[in-house]
Amino acid sequence: MSSKTGKSMTGLRATGLTVVLTLAVGCTPINRYHGFAPSADELSAVQVGQTTRDSVVATFGPPTTNGVVRNDAFYYVSSQFRHFGAFAPDEVDRQVVAISFSPDGVVRNVERFTLEDGRVVVLDRRVTEDGINDVTFLGQLLGSFGRIDAGALLGESPEEF
């Protein structure tokens, strides 16, 4: 075997190895974690009818969100997303801990919900129309040429009739 053939085989092997490693690394799943939800052991410190709103905040920190209408509950939410290659991320785990309070600020109930408990909620989107009916930028630009007043371009004031 000549040295030229040996060098090309070494280069081909190196290129092949690089391609294989790039594909292997590119297809490795990546897990991302967002938010915080207390575990069952941590929630054992919360006693229904005894623990107050302030002690919940002192124990777990501020909640992810509060009750929207009446501010009578704290919600701690954590999610795990798995990214795999060029595909869209999938949510593989979600934990929602809902701690509701009585009007005097004492814990009334503690609930935990998971991804399996969830359901799809259809949102009603109210969008204000912009008045543009599928006209492209170029169409808008060309459509404005007929409405240009030459006097306005030259700086002349319009005459009153």
Side-chain angles (χ1 to χ4, degrees), residues 71-106:
N71 196 17
D72 63 346
F74 283 172
Y75 298 97
Y76 293 92
V77 182
S78 70
S79 296
Q80 176 186 357
F81 293 91
R82 179 166 291 146
H83 297 265
F84 189 74
F87 299 107
D90 290 327
E91 187 174 18
V92 294
D93 186 33
R94 181 187 318 138
Q95 300 287 321
V96 178
V97 174
I99 303 174
S100 57
F101 298 96
S102 64
D104 58 342
V106 177

Side-chain angles (χ1 to χ4, degrees), residues 43-91:
L43 283 175
S44 64
V46 176
Q47 299 297 318
V48 175
Q50 296 177 358
T51 307
T52 63
R53 180 186 305 261
D54 294 333
S55 62
V56 169
V57 172
T59 304
F60 303 125
T64 304
T65 186
N66 294 354
V68 177
V69 178
R70 293 177 295 183
N71 196 17
D72 63 346
F74 283 172
Y75 298 97
Y76 293 92
V77 182
S78 70
S79 296
Q80 176 186 357
F81 293 91
R82 179 166 291 146
H83 297 265
F84 189 74
F87 299 107
D90 290 327
E91 187 174 18

Side-chain angles (χ1 to χ4, degrees), residues 4 9 17 21 35 47 49 54 61 80 82 85 103 105 128 139 151 156:
K4 188 174 183 182
M9 289 299 288
L17 182 61
L21 287 176
Q47 299 297 318
D54 294 333
Q80 176 186 357
R82 179 166 291 146
T128 305
E156 298 174 5

